[in-house]
Amino acid sequence: MFAGILPSGRPLAPAVRGILNRVNTTPENTTVPLRAAVAALPAYVPGARVAPGSGAWKLSSNENPYPPLESVREVIARAAGEVNRYPDMYATELVAAIAEKVGLTPANVVVGTGSVSMLGHVLQSVVEPGDEVVYAWRSFEAYPIYAAIAGATSVTVPVTADGRHDLPAMAAAVTSRTKVVLVCTPNNPTGPAVRTGELATFLSAVPRETLVVVDEAYLEFVRDPDVPDAVALLREHANVVVLRTFSKAYGLAGLRVGYALAPTALATGIRSASTPFGVSGIAQQAALASLAPAAQAELMERVDALVAERTRVADALRDQGWDLPETQANFVWFGLGDATIDRAKEATDAGILVRPFAGDGIRVTIGEPEANDAFLKLAAGWR
């Protein structure tokens, strides 16, 4: 407890003394142990944030550099006047709009707070303690976290030298204990997308009792014509779930809206496991406005511009002598190994925030042309 006396001998105001006492007695330890799986969880590392006034370029979080559309901002402003009310728990209008867009029924669509949240709900719905979850590595860093929270054992299969899923090896890793296989396409953080034939072969090799989750967070950036139609696979296979998001191409990362597409029985279970009222009314209305035809056209123009920038950046890097994986996402990957942390610090010192994965490499988001130019200049000095 603070005595409440300043060096001058004057007493502290009671309100200030109360604050200091609360700070001094903040509880830290607990007599209640965490679950072993939770205590051992790896930390999810977000992309570095730009310090106010620093003028740094943020290429660390795979965000869309464009601000929300004017039509979407107007909807957000209107919806803000209703935040004293709970949102529609089932996001009925948004679910119907997504179902119409993808050609499924509303019963096949579940909305949640980003596709990463949907991943957690999917695993909670089907995984029993001791089950196995198979996925490529390096891939999305939330996979080991959510697998462990669900009580599963992670089984990782290394990506190939060019950053691709090794689907034959992943099929060979499936055992009688495997409950879920996660396929991230395009793969975050390396960039390549799986191809139609290899995924079809993989699905034919996986037992029908094993769920295959196709994680398509970066779908809108894909230009490779030989990629699977995940919705068609969902119609053909009773053990497929598809994850998508409004965070990347739609530029709504700060509002947290994603969705799962699943067979009706699975969708019912995922919906039951989802957080009640998880998606705010503002987020629902913003996503719904983004699906309007005029907004779709404008958004896809922006995506096309980012894809063009991706091509320009990748070509320039290859001209510098870099051997990069073929990215179908809004980022590029540098497999720098042990030099990763040093190079990331050099980028930060140069006013460019990137996403390092210690010991593996650096992921760099495609951002504004000026940001991309700044990074290209930096990368040239790394050769």
Side-chain angles (χ1 to χ4, degrees), residues 163-313:
R164 294 186 174 279
H165 278 54
D166 187 344
L167 288 178
M170 290 175 68
V174 173
T175 71
S176 59
R177 295 175 58 195
T178 305
K179 184 57 68 72
V180 180
V181 180
L182 305 174
V183 178
C184 187
T185 178
N187 187 48
N188 176 17
T190 59
V194 302
R195 301 277 168 64
T196 301
E198 62 179 344
L199 187 56
T201 300
F202 174 78
L203 286 169
S204 68
V206 172
R208 290 172 56 83
E209 297 76 24
T210 298
L211 182 66
V212 177
V213 177
V214 182
D215 187 347
E216 294 189 315
Y218 300 91
L219 171 69
E220 292 82 3
F221 299 100
V222 174
R223 294 297 180 269
D224 184 344
D226 187 21
V227 295
D229 179 343
V231 174
L233 292 175
L234 169 59
R235 291 194 185 98
E236 296 167 8
H237 298 272
N239 61 332
V240 168
V241 167
V242 181
L243 302 181
R244 293 178 180 174
T245 184
F246 285 90
S247 294
K248 309 302 181 184
Y250 288 86
L252 299 180
L255 290 180
R256 313 307 302 128
V257 192
Y259 57 96
L261 307 174
T264 302
L266 271 174
T268 299
I270 298 166
R271 197 175 293 112
S272 297
S274 297
T275 304
F277 306 107
V279 182
S280 72
I282 293 177
Q284 291 182 36
Q285 291 302 312
L288 190 60
S290 298
L291 293 175
Q296 281 278 289
E298 192 173 354
L299 285 166
M300 291 309 109
E301 286 180 6
R302 292 179 171 191
V303 170
D304 287 342
L306 288 171
V307 170
E309 269 297 285
R310 178 184 75 194
T311 300
R312 182 181 75 87
V313 169

Side-chain angles (χ1 to χ4, degrees), residues 45 137-138 333 336-341 344 355-362:
V45 182
W137 197 254
R138 178 172 285 277
W333 171 254
L336 298 173
D338 292 338
T340 293
I341 299 303
R355 175 63 172 89
F357 295 82
D360 285 337
I362 288 176

Side-chain angles (χ1 to χ4, degrees), residues 60-124:
S60 56
S61 297
N62 295 346
E63 296 158 329
N64 190 322
Y66 295 106
L69 300 179
E70 180 62 31
S71 60
V72 175
R73 289 202 296 268
E74 291 173 358
V75 167
I76 290 173
R78 288 198 300 271
E82 300 180 1
V83 295
N84 57 309
R85 304 294 185 186
Y86 284 109
D88 175 359
M89 186 164 125
Y90 298 111
T92 308
E93 289 183 271
L94 179 57
V95 164
I98 293 170
E100 182 177 1
K101 176 177 171 56
V102 301
L104 295 172
T105 71
N108 300 120
V109 181
V110 187
V111 170
T113 54
S115 58
V116 64
S117 170
M118 298 313 304
L119 167 68
H121 298 321
V122 169
L123 296 182
Q124 290 165 356

